Amino acid sequence: MTVKVAAAFILMLFFLSTACQAKLSSSFYGKSCPKAESTIRTAIRTAIARERRMAASLIRLHFHDCFVQGCDASILLDETSSIQSEKTAGPNDNSVRGYEVIEKAKSKVEKICPGVVSCADIIAVAAREASAYVGGPSWAVKLGRRDSTTASRDLANTDLPAFTDSLDKLTSRFQKKGLTARDMVALSGSHTIGQAQCFTFRDRIYNASNIDAGFASTRKRRCPRTGGQANLAPLDLVTPNSFDNNYFKNLMRNKGLLHSDQVLFNGGSTDSIVTEYSRNPAKFSSDFASAMIKMGNIHPLTGSSGQIRRICSAVN
């Protein structure tokens, strides 16, 4: 009898485990909100058509959300008496963008399926749509995340990568989130459509030794030694509006704009991955999609955890 009870208990745990794993599914809204993804897609495409730069911003928004507390839309919460907003954390303040785009997509979805689709899922779908719109890969987004009721500015300040990070520090940050060095390099490839503010690369273009002289000279035009802190510059000068593998080709020519970019190809353990992606755009595209799926699975809230926010910037 005891053996049977134990066996039944183990079987129950197996089914509970399977059920938990099944909570994130690409068909999660198949019955509850079948037009969710197409509605989000339309909103995201409209936003990027209006401003091409928004594609990179939405991919980055997903990244900065998932690295703090998991993919739970905590990054969207505004400051309140009980919430320390992640929006004002050092890596996000006056840097992360796209909040209003997600909010608009949420309002569109709420009109057809009120209280069904989470803001966390909208961020994940938005990143996929942003990539596809500018020529990058697409992938099946696993859905079923719920929204957090908390945020952590402290974790945002400690867990998010910094533009001054060494290769070892970057690798460690990604490993703590369950991501490999290959995932890290692939995800960094999205910088091919990104832009950076002058203060993030000033030290590199004026003081670094591992930088192409002509490249540094060109970048100094938009980034003086003093002033111009927020002046923007594309991370990839060649094809700044297209998702391709030029980012990796640039690194091999010492034309990485950020210190944290160039460390990926600087005589270290990730040089071979950068070289591979520079020669094989299809492999980069495939690995990027896989890494985005993997990143989107970092500690999601499912089942009865969290909530489905009615407005993404505030808890219900």
Side-chain angles (χ1 to χ4, degrees), residues 3 14 46 63 91 192 204 216 232-233 239 246 255 267 276 301 310 316:
V3 174
F14 171 78
T46 300
F63 174 79
T192 193
R204 174 160 165 73
L232 289 171
T239 54
N246 266 319
K255 293 182 178 181
E276 180 183 2
L301 297 173
R310 292 188 293 270
N316 297 342

Side-chain angles (χ1 to χ4, degrees), residues 10 49 54 65 70 88 98 103 117 124 134 154 171 217-218 224 258 280 285 294 305 310:
I10 291 171
M54 187 54 68
D65 180 41
T88 51
E103 201 70 74
V117 181
V134 293
D154 289 342
T171 304
S217 179
T218 299
L258 302 177
N280 192 336
S285 184
K294 198 171 173 183
S305 299
R310 292 188 293 270

